[in-house]
Amino acid sequence: MVVKGSHPWDKTSFTQGLEVGKDGNLVVGTGQYRQSRIYRTTVDGKQSESQNLPDEFFGEGITITGDTVWQLTWKEHTAIKRNAQDLRETGRVRYDGEGWGLCAQQDRLVMSDGSGTLTFRDPSTFDKTGEISVTKGGQATTMLNELECTPDGSVWANVWQTNQIYLIDPATGFVTGIADLTGKLPAADRRGADVLNGIAFIPQGESTGDRASRQRFYLTGKWWDTLYEVTFS
């Protein structure tokens, strides 16, 4: 991994979900009971369209699909549907199990629940359409957390309580690569910081036009004060 740049980040945000919107700005979902919210921010920290979750909800992963943002909740079995423009709630859907991470592919959503299983869901109804078990070297995985889907069809997954991000082939469930960020992101070691969590693919055109820019990501964590721009080799 190579760090290409860094930006200030709101260290009061218990970051659970991170997405780049159509306008190039970031949409952020945060956790903690009575503190969870979703908001939009520029990379230099100018926030807007902040929407609080009800006190009984613990916010988790988010994703953007078309004109909709979906936001998971941890143990409340509820996905919140939002307007992608102003982030206001437009509906709710129930699901079984816990909600951890979420990302969007062309015709489906991919969701994690803290296990080693990825669940596929309809992007309009949130209905379950399938699932796959993720394995690494033939062994079962667990604690798959925040997810990011990339245009080549791959899924990147933060592994909770570690400094690792798995590269997953969702067709087979195989882990095809591992990014180990131990000691590479100084914000992780600052006082008050929690674990790495938050990965967002930067679409081509948001940075320079070389090959590396097409594989750039934003990374941050829970209660971190820095947003990093990185490439994975």
Side-chain angles (χ1 to χ4, degrees), residues 40-227:
R40 196 182 312 279
T41 184
T42 62
V43 293
D44 58 357
K46 297 178 181 178
Q47 297 183 17
S48 61
E49 282 103 33
S50 181
Q51 303 289 340
N52 294 329
L53 273 69
D55 286 351
E56 65 271 21
F57 285 166
F58 190 116
E60 284 282 349
I62 64 169
T63 197
I64 302 170
T65 176
D67 295 326
T68 295
V69 174
W70 285 104
Q71 183 175 24
L72 300 178
T73 57
W74 181 25
K75 295 183 177 181
E76 292 70 55
H77 314 291
T78 302
I80 300 173
K81 189 176 185 179
R82 298 182 180 277
N83 181 293
Q85 296 300 315
D86 58 17
L87 304 181
R88 293 186 182 277
E89 180 178 333
T90 60
R92 296 182 185 180
V93 176
R94 298 280 293 176
Y95 56 81
D96 294 330
E98 295 184 359
W100 285 44
L102 192 66
C103 68
Q105 296 186 314
Q106 185 173 4
D107 57 356
R108 66 183 181 181
L109 306 180
V110 185
M111 175 178 164
S112 65
D113 61 4
S115 70
T117 298
L118 295 179
T119 301
F120 305 121
R121 296 189 175 276
D122 184 280
S124 297
T125 65
F126 214 73
D127 290 341
K128 181 178 177 179
T129 60
E131 65 179 29
I132 195 163
S133 296
V134 177
T135 58
K136 179 169 66 73
Q139 301 297 311
T141 63
T142 190
M143 296 296 183
L144 301 181
N145 197 4
E146 221 272 289
L147 304 178
E148 181 66 0
C149 297
T150 53
D152 63 2
S154 299
V155 175
W156 291 85
N158 279 271
V159 184
W160 189 54
Q161 297 287 13
T162 78
N163 294 313
Q164 293 186 337
I165 302 176
Y166 290 168
L167 176 60
I168 300 167
D169 179 351
T172 63
F174 296 162
V175 174
T176 59
I178 300 174
D180 190 337
L181 280 62
T182 302
K184 297 180 179 179
L185 304 177
D189 299 320
R190 290 178 187 145
R191 185 176 181 179
D194 205 299
V195 296
L196 171 73
N197 202 53
I199 175 171
F201 177 79
I202 305 173
Q204 184 178 3
E206 294 304 319
S207 298
T208 57
D210 59 15
R211 182 180 182 277
S213 74
R214 297 195 294 273
Q215 296 297 323
R216 292 195 183 204
F217 296 83
Y218 290 123
L219 296 180
T220 191
K222 303 176 182 184
W223 293 323
W224 285 24
D225 65 3
T226 306
L227 175 76

